[in-house]
Amino acid sequence: MTTDVTATAVPARQSVRRAGLWIPAALLPLTLLSGLLVGYTGISPRQLWACLWGTASPELSLIIWQIRLPRLIVAALCGAGLALSGAALQALTHNPLADPGILGINAGAGFSVMVYLSYFTALHLNGLFWQPVFALAGGLISAGLLWVLARRQGRLDPQLLILAGIGLAAFFSALMLIMGSNMENSSYQLVARWLAGNLWGSSWYHVCVLWPWLLLLVPLLLAQSRAMDVLALGALQAQALGLAVNRERIKLLFLSVALASVCISVCGGISFIGLAAPHIARRLSATPRQAHRLPATLLWGALLLPAADTLGRSLPWELEIPAGIVVAILAAPYFLYLLRRRLSF
Amino acid sequence: MSVSISQLSSTHLSAGYPGRTILQDLSLDLPAGQISALIGANGSGKSTLLKTLAGLLPVQGGSICLNGKDISRLSTRDLARQLALLPQDSSSPEGLCVRELVSLGRFPYRQRFGGLSADDQAVINRSLQQTGLLDLAQTDLAELSGGQRQRAWIAMALAQQTGLLFLDEPTTYLDIAHQLEVLQLLRQLNQASGITIVMVLHDLNQAVQFSDYLIALKSGRIYDSGSSKQLLTPDLVQAVFGVAAVILPHPVTGVPVCLPYAPKPAAVAGSGPGTA
């Protein structure tokens, strides 16, 4: 008798629930395909087909296999990682507007890259290796500072976390300004490009750097989905339901920071993906349960960044805009609109 | 399956927040299988006592004993299998339906991976049935009335299958009809399964009508405790709340009713000259 009740109402909810998943799942192949075709050198579908069979010209093969494909994969991986990082941070802080950039991780990594460009010239020959290492170290150092600053009576305090993050971001940005004003122009431009979030020059090497980390961190985060659901009821209720709240918050902070640092070390200071992807997933799924929402968030992230990058490459006037800026230009007005709508309740 | 009757007691308990002790030298023995109500003025430590007894705030001195075990030795998870608590302010995420909320009550029993077991489903269904929410199982929490929503939270706590249920002001924000609906449900649950219920209530008359045992707190100490029908006296109300009151039997139920009154002011102050 009880099953009848559940059986009647479920289908409607489930079809909505799946919209959050199947829309990005359907758009992802399309985005990747257009990402391969569009760019400075236009490539026709037939040429791509020839490439697949190895009958295209070497130049085209090089563009497809060594430039565009790894770049798209890096974009998709970073998008997914940043999106999940944002989702974890939002669950941790009970704040749907939290973004990994707010924790000062971008700024810390950016400062570290700047130090690398200014003082470690001996390592520049192997920049492919060292630049992400420095970015990662910078991100982790600011995360460590955050860890020290955001504890009250031995427990991680979500409100303090946000305030400490904003403080750190301002501090590192100030240091970058000071250093930047005394820096050689070409190096400074490199840093500026990096901060804006740039996928230019992404290679298979970066793909290889990224995927083992994501393979480790993403399942660890997905395993937290049930605890995140309970945490969403408020800290006190979560504890009453048997969740070790402080330990769970530490886990979420660690996963969020690790995912963001790894991705940022490769793709630069891209913000907004961590805000936008979880937000879209939230609006398009009927249930707030993270077991459904996190996979949708991952897919939206993996879709948005390659799409933004492709858009930035396919502009007329031979103008190329870094992916991070495309994301910001498109996402910022959307969020201002949302904020205003939220206030007008 | 009925829940086993739970014993909870504290001896010389002191507790509060870091650097601020609120409860002092507090010894009590909760009557098992009954409904107890905590009463007292604002800031008397009712909520603090409830949270401390539930293991949500650290004990600063003394001890709390649950079924023969010191609760500080129990893990959060083990405790959540023996004691459920509904705080005053819980947030429910947008879009959560009743059944999803109730299934969160199974959290202390679930493995990290895998769906709800048949046993979990059976417990969830029974909790929904006990609270009269089977027909609303798929409804969004936001679409429920205040009373229905409070019933959904109670169903979630029931799904924890505990012998003890603590509620911090379960009737705030509800109108009078929904207040009675919730309190009557708690009475029914107590009578049907013998679950021990402890709740913080603001309304003295409801506390007397819907509990077996009253614990009156004053400045972090137990002022008095005892059978609800006998404890309520004008002296108690005067001592605990600082208010003059008369206690009369309810004309219909015969339960003692408290009618507080303010002494008549000496003169009406500050009215302007004339009434023009």
Side-chain angles (χ1 to χ4, degrees):
Chain A
M1 42 129 202
T2 54
T3 42
D4 289 344
V5 181
T6 51
T8 47
V10 162
R13 281 178 67 89
Q14 278 193 344
S15 64
V16 188
R17 177 176 301 173
R18 291 199 190 105
L21 273 175
W22 64 253
I23 294 176
L27 289 177
L28 190 57
L30 283 177
T31 308
L32 295 183
L33 187 67
S34 59
L36 284 176
L37 300 178
V38 170
Y40 187 72
T41 314
I43 293 175
S44 72
R46 190 190 290 174
Q47 284 169 312
L48 181 66
W49 186 249
C51 236
L52 274 179
W53 298 106
T55 54
S57 69
E59 299 87 73
L60 275 185
S61 284
L62 181 78
I63 291 175
I64 293 283
W65 295 119
Q66 299 303 325
I67 297 176
R68 288 194 188 162
L69 188 60
R71 179 170 176 161
L72 281 168
I73 293 175
V74 166
L77 291 176
C78 284
L82 288 170
L84 288 180
S85 169
L89 194 61
Q90 287 159 17
L92 161 66
T93 55
H94 301 283
N95 185 344
L97 295 177
D99 174 272
I102 221 176
L103 291 184
I105 293 169
N106 292 14
F111 175 67
S112 184
V113 166
M114 213 166 196
V115 168
Y116 159 76
L117 288 174
S118 313
Y119 299 113
F120 292 86
T121 38
L123 301 177
H124 287 189
L125 272 179
N126 203 354
L128 202 60
F129 174 77
W130 283 110
Q131 189 168 323
V133 167
F134 269 81
L136 187 64
L140 292 179
I141 286 171
S142 54
L145 286 173
L146 208 59
W147 171 245
V148 174
L149 293 171
R151 277 186 308 169
R152 186 177 281 169
Q153 276 133 17
R155 300 170 71 85
L156 189 64
D157 184 323
Q159 301 308 316
L160 210 52
L161 184 72
I162 291 184
L163 291 176
I166 293 172
L168 275 180
F171 175 70
F172 281 121
S173 304
L175 288 184
M176 279 194 279
L177 270 179
I178 296 169
M179 272 187 78
S181 54
N182 300 318
M183 228 171 149
E184 207 184 314
N185 227 352
S186 60
S187 302
Y188 185 73
Q189 273 197 346
L190 263 176
V191 177
R193 278 185 87 108
W194 187 92
L195 278 176
N198 202 348
L199 291 156
W200 187 85
S202 298
S203 64
W204 287 112
Y205 172 80
H206 294 116
V207 176
C208 293
V209 166
L210 272 174
W211 75 259
W213 282 107
L214 292 180
L215 198 66
L216 174 74
L217 295 170
V218 169
L220 281 177
L221 181 62
L222 293 179
Q224 302 304 313
S225 61
R226 206 170 286 155
M228 287 159 83
D229 288 339
V230 171
L231 192 60
L233 301 178
L236 205 57
Q237 181 70 78
Q239 204 186 337
L241 280 167
L243 181 72
V245 169
N246 192 44
R247 204 188 307 160
E248 182 60 29
R249 281 178 174 158
I250 292 169
K251 274 189 215 166
L252 288 176
L253 177 65
F254 170 79
L255 288 171
S256 174
V257 163
L259 278 169
S261 300
V262 167
C263 294
I264 286 170
S265 73
V266 171
C267 69
I270 289 177
S271 55
F272 265 125
I273 289 280
L275 193 59
H279 190 87
I280 297 169
R282 194 176 304 135
R283 285 177 74 91
L284 287 180
S285 51
T287 169
R289 277 162 57 206
Q290 298 286 4
H292 294 273
R293 220 185 240 175
L294 288 178
T297 303
L298 182 148
L299 280 177
W300 278 105
L303 173 73
L304 287 178
L305 197 52
D309 186 47
T310 303
L311 198 63
R313 284 191 293 121
S314 58
L315 293 173
W317 326 293
E318 301 193 0
L319 183 72
E320 189 175 320
I321 301 182
I325 293 183
V326 175
V327 174
I329 287 176
L330 294 181
Y334 175 61
F335 273 93
L336 289 176
Y337 158 74
L338 280 181
L339 269 175
R340 282 203 66 83
R341 236 183 41 138
R342 188 177 279 245
L343 288 177
S344 66
F345 262 108
Chain B
M1 190 181 86
S2 70
V3 235
S4 59
I5 292 197
S6 284
Q7 293 285 350
L8 186 75
S9 60
S10 76
T11 39
H12 303 298
L13 175 71
S14 61
Y17 298 88
R20 193 159 59 99
T21 302
I22 294 174
L23 305 172
Q24 306 257 359
D25 192 28
L26 204 143
S27 296
L28 68 88
D29 211 340
L30 289 174
Q34 298 196 359
I35 300 185
S36 303
L38 293 174
I39 57 168
N42 289 343
S44 60
K46 302 183 297 280
S47 282
T48 311
L49 177 59
L50 201 72
K51 286 179 212 161
T52 310
L53 290 177
L56 300 182
L57 285 177
V59 169
Q60 293 174 343
S63 65
I64 301 169
C65 191
L66 172 60
N67 295 329
K69 279 189 185 157
D70 192 324
I71 65 159
S72 57
R73 301 251 171 85
L74 291 171
S75 72
T76 322
R77 194 172 151 95
D78 283 339
L79 201 53
R81 293 177 178 184
Q82 299 184 50
L83 192 156
L85 177 135
L86 296 179
Q88 202 182 341
D89 45 351
S90 293
S91 55
S92 58
E94 228 177 297
L96 200 70
C97 77
V98 174
R99 197 183 178 84
E100 287 171 327
L101 178 71
V102 177
S103 68
L104 292 179
R106 298 304 293 162
F107 183 74
Y109 297 92
R110 295 183 68 184
Q111 306 299 317
R112 190 170 284 277
F113 295 101
L116 291 160
S117 68
D119 191 38
D120 289 329
Q121 297 285 8
V123 174
I124 293 165
N125 282 336
R126 198 171 45 245
S127 306
L128 287 168
Q129 194 189 354
Q130 283 176 304
T131 48
L133 290 171
L134 272 179
D135 293 338
L136 295 169
Q138 302 298 328
T139 312
D140 201 320
L141 279 177
E143 291 165 20
L144 298 180
S145 74
Q148 289 168 335
R149 200 173 308 136
Q150 190 59 277
R151 266 157 54 197
W153 284 101
I154 291 171
M156 183 195 78
L158 291 179
Q160 280 177 256
Q161 286 189 295
T162 57
L164 280 158
L165 172 59
F166 284 17
L167 302 105
D168 196 350
E169 299 192 26
T171 54
T172 21
Y173 311 124
L174 299 181
D175 64 34
I176 185 77
H178 288 140
Q179 288 180 13
L180 293 178
E181 171 190 330
V182 166
L183 291 168
Q184 257 163 344
L185 171 66
L186 292 172
R187 173 57 89 192
Q188 276 169 23
L189 293 170
N190 164 256
Q191 282 170 349
S193 66
I195 189 171
T196 306
I197 295 179
V198 184
M199 53 189 176
V200 172
L201 282 182
H202 259 305
D203 188 312
L204 276 180
N205 295 326
Q206 288 179 347
V208 172
Q209 196 187 345
F210 290 97
S211 72
D212 307 299
Y213 195 76
L214 275 189
I215 300 163
L217 289 179
K218 189 185 179 186
S219 324
R221 293 169 192 272
I222 294 184
Y223 177 76
D224 203 358
S225 63
S227 156
S228 302
K229 312 289 183 286
Q230 280 144 31
L231 197 71
L232 190 67
T233 59
D235 290 345
L236 180 97
V237 178
Q238 179 69 53
V240 172
F241 295 96
V243 171
V246 285
I247 310 290
L248 298 169
H250 191 283
V252 176
T253 60
V255 173
V257 176
C258 167
L259 294 173
Y261 62 93
K264 273 186 185 166
V268 180
S271 59
T275 44

